[in-house]
Amino acid sequence: MAHSTLLSCLLTPYAVPVLLAAYFVLPYLSQAHLFAIPSPFPAAFTNLWLFYQCRRGRRFTAVHHAHQKYGKLVRIQPNHVSVADDAAIQVIYGHGNGFLKTEYYDAFVSIRRGLFNTRDRNEHTRKRKTVSHTFSAKSIGQFEQYIHSNIELFVKQLNTICQNQTDPRTGYASIDALNWFNYLAFDIIGDLAFGAPFGMLAKGKDFAEVRKTPDSPPTYAPAIEVLNRRGEVSATLGCLPWLKPYASYLPDSFFSKGLEAVSNLAGIAIARVNERLKPEALENNTRVDLLARLMEGKDETGATMGREELTAEALTQLIAGSDTTSNTSCAMLYWVLRTPGVVQKLQKAIDDAVPAGIDVPTHAMLKDIPYIQYVLQETMRIHSTSSLGLPRQIPFSGSPIEICGHTFKPGDIISVPAYTIHHSAEIWGPDVEAFVPERWAPERLTTRQKAAFIPFSTGPRSCVGRNVAEMELTNIVGTVFRNFEFVIEQKHAMETREGFLRKPLGLNVGVKRRQHA
C-alpha cells in the first residue's frame, strides 16, 4: 500500500515541481546559520549560479559586484561564503588552521593528484616535502640558464620581426604581444619542467606533442589553447564536481572540448616525460632543471616518485608556470604602456643598472632595481591573474570559527576573493583603480597592504614556485624594456576571460628596436 501511494505521488503533475523544490530548498534549509548572509539569487539555493558565472568566464566580476552590493560577506553557493575582508586571509589560508581544500579541486585531477589538487593534508605534506627542494635557492640559481637562453631567442625573434615587418608609415611592426609572451613562457617552462623547450619561439607557432600513454603514437595539439580550455572547463566543473563524468554528453560543446583538452594536456606531459626518461637521455643528462630535481626528490621514507607521480607533478609545474607568466607579462605591458611616465622610469632604471652592450641582462643585474619590482607588484595587484577566491572547508572535526562577526560551522566553505581584495579602496586608497607602481615604495606601503597582497596565495598551500616566477618576470621586464619600444595599436581596453586564471584575450601593439648604450 505504501509503495503504491508513493508511486501515485510520483506520477502526479505536482511531482516535478515538488522534487525540484526539495532539491533546491533542502540544501538552503540545512544551512540555517547562513540565512543572514546575503546572496545574489539563486546562489543560496543552488550551485548553478556560480557554475553559470564560471561558464561565462566572469566569476571574479560577478563575485566582486556582489560584494559591492551586499558587503564583506556574500553567499555564493548554498554552503560557500565569499569573505571580502583582508583580516580573514590568515584565518582561512594561514599555517596551522587545519582548513581543507574542497571538492572543487577534484575537477582539476587528470593523471593523478598532484601538489595543487591533493586534498588530503598528510599526502600534501609528503608531496610538498618531496618537491620543496626543487625550489631551493641553489636550484633556482641553476634554472636561470634555461630562462636566459629562451629570452635570448625571444629577443632575436622580435628583432627579426622589427627588421622585416616594420610599417614605414609608423616605424613599428605590428604583433599580438600575448602570442609572443605565450611562446616565451611555454618554452621556458618546457625547458625547465621537461628538459627542452616546446619550440614555439623558434617556429612562431603554438604546438606540442601529445601521447595518451608512454607507448602510444604521437599526435599534436596547440598547447596554449589546450591549457586555456582545460582551465575554463575545470574551473566550471569545480562548482559541480559530480557532473565531470557526464559533462562530455552535455549539448554545450564547451564541456566536450574542454574535457578533450584535459586529456591532451595530460598527454603533453606524458610525451615530454617519456622523452626525458629514455635510457639514452638519462645516461647523457647533465641538466639541473625542474624535472631533474623532481626525480631526485625523496619523501620522509626516502622514496622517490614513480613515473606516474613524476608526470603528474611535472604537469603541475607546466600548468603553474606557463600562462601565469604570460598573462602577467601581457598585462604588465598593457598597464605600463597606458600609464604616462612609467616606460621612461623603467628604461632609465634598467639602463643605469645594466652594463653597456648587454641586450639580455642577468637576474643579478636586475634583481636589485626597485622600480622593476614596483611595476611587477602593481601589475599582479591590478590584474590579479589568480582572481577568484580559493575555497577552503572548515573540517567536520573542527570547531566553529568567527569571521566578520559571523560564526561559521564545521563543513562550511569560505574563501577570500583575490580580485576584490586587490581592488579594495579601503585597503589601497582612492586611486585603487589606477596603475601606480610607486605605491610599492617602502615608505608608502602599509603593513596592511603588504599582508593583503596575495597573488601567489599564502600559507601552506601557497605557490611553491613563487621565487622562480618572480625571477622569470624580472628578467622579462628588464629585457623587454631594455631592447624595445612599444605603442598600443588597439583602440579598446585589453579584454580578459577567466578560467581558473584571468587571462588576456590579446594585446595588439607596435614594436620597434630600441637603441641603448
Side-chain angles (χ1 to χ4, degrees), residues 340-354:
V342 176
V343 170
Q344 292 75 17
K345 290 179 183 178
L346 260 179
Q347 289 176 335
K348 183 180 187 309
I350 293 165
D351 289 346
D352 287 348
V354 176

Side-chain angles (χ1 to χ4, degrees), residues 281-347:
L282 289 174
E283 183 178 348
N284 299 317
N285 180 57
T286 58
R287 290 176 60 94
V288 285
D289 54 25
L290 277 168
L291 195 60
R293 292 287 175 258
L294 288 172
M295 287 189 285
E296 295 169 358
K298 297 178 181 180
D299 62 20
E300 65 277 3
T301 69
T304 57
M305 295 183 188
R307 186 189 191 109
E308 186 180 69
E309 184 175 18
L310 180 67
T311 305
E313 294 303 341
L315 175 59
T316 297
Q317 301 311 319
L318 168 63
I319 295 167
S322 52
D323 61 346
T324 50
T325 302
S326 57
N327 292 345
T328 301
S329 299
C330 186
M332 176 276 301
L333 182 61
Y334 171 73
W335 284 100
V336 165
L337 293 182
R338 74 189 298 272
T339 308
V342 176
V343 170
Q344 292 75 17
K345 290 179 183 178
L346 260 179
Q347 289 176 335

Side-chain angles (χ1 to χ4, degrees), residues 37 78 80 84 92 105 111 128 156 188-189 200-201 225 248 286 291 313 374 385 402 418 428 436 485 490:
I37 297 176
H80 182 179
I92 297 173
Y105 292 88
I111 298 171
R128 184 119 184 168
K156 179 181 177 181
I188 287 175
I189 199 62
M200 294 184 189
L201 281 171
E225 179 184 328
S248 59
T286 58
L291 195 60
E313 294 303 341
Y374 298 168
T385 291
E402 184 174 310
W428 302 98
V436 184
E485 301 278 3
Q490 62 190 40

Side-chain angles (χ1 to χ4, degrees), residues 181-425:
F181 282 129
N182 274 330
Y183 302 155
L184 174 61
F186 272 78
D187 273 0
I188 287 175
I189 199 62
D191 218 352
L192 285 175
F194 300 112
F198 285 98
M200 294 184 189
L201 281 171
K203 295 181 173 62
K205 182 180 179 182
D206 170 18
F207 78 104
E209 179 184 330
V210 177
R211 291 180 187 265
K212 300 302 182 184
T213 69
D215 300 321
S216 62
T219 58
Y220 297 89
I224 298 165
E225 179 184 328
V226 162
L227 187 61
N228 286 341
R229 287 187 181 276
R230 175 263 184 192
E232 290 181 6
V233 77
S234 297
T236 303
L237 290 174
C239 301
L240 290 172
W242 61 266
L243 186 60
K244 185 178 178 181
Y246 317 103
S248 59
Y249 302 106
L250 295 174
D252 185 350
S253 62
F254 168 87
F255 294 100
S256 57
K257 291 179 179 178
L259 290 175
E260 182 183 6
V262 171
S263 175
N264 281 335
L265 190 62
I268 290 171
I270 290 170
R272 298 305 300 270
V273 172
N274 181 61
E275 193 67 24
R276 182 64 179 277
L277 294 184
K278 288 181 177 178
E280 60 271 24
L282 289 174
E283 183 178 348
N284 299 317
N285 180 57
T286 58
R287 290 176 60 94
V288 285
D289 54 25
L290 277 168
L291 195 60
R293 292 287 175 258
L294 288 172
M295 287 189 285
E296 295 169 358
K298 297 178 181 180
D299 62 20
E300 65 277 3
T301 69
T304 57
M305 295 183 188
R307 186 189 191 109
E308 186 180 69
E309 184 175 18
L310 180 67
T311 305
E313 294 303 341
L315 175 59
T316 297
Q317 301 311 319
L318 168 63
I319 295 167
S322 52
D323 61 346
T324 50
T325 302
S326 57
N327 292 345
T328 301
S329 299
C330 186
M332 176 276 301
L333 182 61
Y334 171 73
W335 284 100
V336 165
L337 293 182
R338 74 189 298 272
T339 308
V342 176
V343 170
Q344 292 75 17
K345 290 179 183 178
L346 260 179
Q347 289 176 335
K348 183 180 187 309
I350 293 165
D351 289 346
D352 287 348
V354 176
I358 300 293
D359 283 351
V360 183
T362 64
H363 188 244
M365 297 173 187
L366 301 170
K367 65 183 178 66
D368 295 324
I369 301 176
Y371 200 70
I372 288 180
Q373 301 311 315
Y374 298 168
V375 165
L376 285 173
Q377 289 166 314
E378 184 68 346
T379 298
M380 289 186 282
R381 181 197 69 82
I382 201 165
H383 177 72
S384 302
T385 291
S386 178
S387 290
L388 55 81
L390 300 171
R392 296 290 186 267
Q393 187 171 42
I394 302 173
F396 286 100
S397 59
S399 303
I401 189 166
E402 184 174 310
I403 299 175
C404 292
H406 189 92
T407 300
F408 293 91
K409 296 183 177 181
D412 288 345
I413 295 171
I414 45 184
S415 61
V416 176
Y419 179 90
T420 300
I421 293 296
H422 288 170
H423 287 255
S424 167

Side-chain angles (χ1 to χ4, degrees), residues 31 67 98 153 267 308 403 445:
Q31 304 287 334
H67 280 294
L153 181 55
E308 186 180 69
I403 299 175
L445 188 68

